[in-house]
Amino acid sequence: MLRKIYKIDDKVPVYMQAMGKIDERMYVVKCGRELLVVDPNICQSLLEKIDKWSVSHTTILLTHEHYDHITGVKWLLEHTNASVICSSGCKRILDHPLVSVQDYYDILIPSEEKDYYENYHLLDAEGYVFDVDDTFESCYLFKWAGMKVEGIAAPGHSIGGAIYILNGKYVFTGDNLVNGNKVITRFPGGNRKDYIRITKPVIKNLRKDSIIFPGHGEMAELEELLQYIM
């Protein structure tokens, strides 16, 4: 169930749905008739709200290519007028769905939950492809609903990792910084050296008052989560 968890600048609501025991977090930012959706998962209540809010356009941001963070992309594209933005590294993996879906699915989904996820998400590894509208190599700046959005490539946890910063303070880190566990670089495509060299400095140079919306675990201030950095 989608629930409101925060207001950016005390006025722009942020909603969240967590998926299953792995607790993958989808975030939905609403401003007027526009939505920003980070790492979509399948959520019927989101469709109901899209209809209720008369949403005109949805922008999808992908923090990386791992299956638990892309499960709802095709579904959302089929039901809404949406565009997709991700890093160029993420796009390269998404072009090979047997890698981006099946390999990570086998690793990430607990064996006792596989039937549930296959039924719920209608897994089709060979057919799990979708169009990406824009990509970036290192940095991507754009305006969304009057807000400044900055995308920064952040490899290490995965090849195609990215971090997104709204108005300089509100940060969607994906699995580059999560709440409750150290960052993982042992999955396929992970690279500990890249994380330490590229991504760790990006996170440590965020504003000290940054609010973090992680890929797993509850949102928190940056200072609370730095203990989980590699």
Side-chain angles (χ1 to χ4, degrees):
M1 176 68 68
L2 198 67
R3 60 183 176 88
K4 187 187 295 184
I5 60 168
Y6 194 77
K7 280 191 175 182
I8 291 176
D9 296 334
D10 295 322
K11 60 183 179 181
V12 178
V14 180
Y15 298 80
M16 184 277 298
Q17 173 173 273
M19 182 182 74
K21 291 182 179 180
I22 58 174
D23 192 38
E24 184 276 329
R25 304 258 165 155
M26 169 181 70
Y27 297 100
V28 178
V29 185
K30 176 186 179 294
C31 191
R33 295 178 61 200
E34 293 193 57
L35 294 186
L36 197 66
V37 180
V38 181
D39 292 352
N41 56 49
I42 294 174
C43 178
Q44 186 59 39
S45 62
L46 174 57
L47 286 190
E48 294 168 0
K49 288 189 179 297
I50 286 173
D51 183 59
K52 177 182 177 181
W53 295 332
S54 299
V55 171
S56 59
H57 187 262
T58 298
T59 301
I60 297 171
L61 303 179
L62 300 182
T63 65
H64 63 299
E65 66 276 10
H66 289 174
Y67 176 69
D68 54 327
H69 292 261
I70 64 172
T71 53
V73 177
K74 281 186 67 175
W75 172 83
L76 196 54
L77 289 172
E78 290 167 359
H79 287 89
T80 67
N81 175 27
S83 55
V84 180
I85 298 170
C86 67
S87 74
S88 55
C90 180
K91 174 64 164 58
R92 286 196 296 272
I93 302 300
L94 292 174
D95 285 341
H96 302 280
L98 285 175
V99 176
S100 64
V101 176
Q102 190 66 62
D103 284 358
Y104 297 123
Y105 173 83
D106 288 340
I107 293 170
L108 291 166
I109 305 302
S111 58
E112 66 273 15
E113 292 194 30
K114 286 190 185 294
D115 287 343
Y116 167 77
Y117 281 98
E118 284 182 340
N119 291 334
Y120 187 67
H121 296 294
L122 303 177
L123 177 68
D124 176 10
E126 287 193 51
Y128 204 88
V129 293
F130 50 83
D131 291 332
V132 171
D133 298 276
D134 217 344
T135 64
F136 56 96
E137 284 289 338
S138 58
C139 188
Y140 185 85
L141 296 173
F142 68 101
K143 287 282 190 178
W144 174 81
M147 302 177 69
K148 176 186 174 183
V149 183
E150 182 179 11
I152 302 174
H157 173 74
S158 71
I159 291 173
I163 291 170
Y164 298 94
I165 308 169
L166 272 63
N167 280 0
K169 177 179 178 180
Y170 307 98
V171 188
F172 299 87
T173 56
D175 289 359
N176 296 296
L177 182 61
V178 300
N179 194 343
N181 292 286
K182 291 283 189 181
V183 174
I184 294 171
T185 59
R186 65 177 181 272
F187 292 153
N191 187 306
R192 186 175 187 273
K193 290 182 179 179
D194 281 350
Y195 184 86
I196 292 172
R197 180 175 61 89
I198 300 171
T199 300
K200 184 175 180 178
V202 170
I203 294 172
K204 296 199 78 171
N205 286 328
L206 292 170
R207 281 175 44 171
K208 294 187 184 301
D209 63 345
S210 292
I211 303 298
I212 306 299
F213 300 90
H216 302 263
E218 297 296 329
M219 58 170 286
E221 295 181 359
L222 174 64
E223 186 175 358
E224 296 178 45
L225 299 187
L226 286 178
Q227 62 182 303
Y228 301 117
I229 203 168
M230 180 173 290

